[in-house]
Amino acid sequence: MLTANGWLSYNKTSVDCAGALFYSMMKLAIETPHSSTSELFENATSVIGTWKRVLKSYLPSIDEEIEVILKFEEMCLESAREFSSLFAKVLHHLYDVEILQEEAILNWAAEKEGADEPDKVFLKQSEIFIKWLNEASEEED
């Protein structure tokens, strides 16, 4: 089925499409030649910059944004482990380029708080960024 966005969704929800598109973007970044984690991060920011508008069109709500974070966690643990050390940096970049909203990141973090220790690895890696978001949010109130 071809959606209004032009993506072959095969009756998938926008959450599924957002996760699949982000997965493909990060796979492209990893498959682009790199010899260091800093070059991999450059690849990721380049791919994100190129595909930002398309990805954003699949993020109509906070749920889809959280799915992108969850998909990235899954990738870092399973198929794209090279990204593991860059999780917090990529998460911050996705926020900086307005793909992810503060609310999505803070909701993800709150959900992770109750998880088992092994499932908190990326939450711990993102602690400084999450703290910064929380402080910025409190200052706005």
Side-chain angles (χ1 to χ4, degrees):
M1 166 188 214
L2 194 58
T3 66
N5 296 16
W7 181 264
L8 288 172
S9 67
Y10 298 103
N11 295 323
K12 298 285 186 185
T13 65
S14 59
V15 169
D16 294 324
C17 292
L21 179 57
F22 186 73
Y23 178 87
S24 297
M25 289 166 60
M26 293 301 94
K27 283 302 256 187
L28 177 59
I30 256 190
E31 291 169 2
T32 301
H34 59 280
S35 58
S36 66
T37 54
S38 62
E39 285 182 12
L40 177 56
F41 181 70
E42 287 174 25
N43 289 355
T45 59
S46 175
V47 168
I48 290 166
T50 300
W51 294 97
K52 174 185 171 184
R53 289 181 59 213
V54 175
L55 179 60
K56 196 67 180 156
S57 71
Y58 286 96
L59 304 175
S61 75
I62 297 299
D63 289 343
E64 286 82 6
E65 292 181 29
I66 293 171
E67 178 61 23
V68 165
I69 302 170
L70 294 172
K71 181 57 76 174
F72 193 46
E73 271 190 297
E74 183 183 307
M75 288 182 74
C76 289
L77 290 170
E78 295 172 6
S79 61
R81 293 176 190 253
E82 286 180 79
F83 272 121
S84 293
S85 65
L86 293 173
F87 182 88
K89 204 170 174 181
V90 171
L91 184 68
H92 198 149
H93 180 73
L94 291 168
Y95 171 79
D96 284 344
V97 298
E98 300 178 350
I99 290 174
L100 299 178
Q101 297 174 63
E102 176 182 314
E103 183 181 354
I105 297 166
L106 294 178
N107 286 359
W108 164 79
E111 286 178 23
K112 284 291 168 178
E113 281 298 327
D116 295 334
E117 283 307 308
D119 293 331
K120 291 183 178 180
V121 65
F122 299 114
L123 176 61
K124 288 182 184 205
Q125 195 185 111
S126 305
E127 276 179 336
I128 293 170
F129 178 49
I130 302 295
K131 183 179 180 196
W132 177 80
L133 285 175
N134 275 318
E135 288 172 356
S137 183
E138 288 170 9
E139 286 177 14
E140 288 176 6
D141 294 341

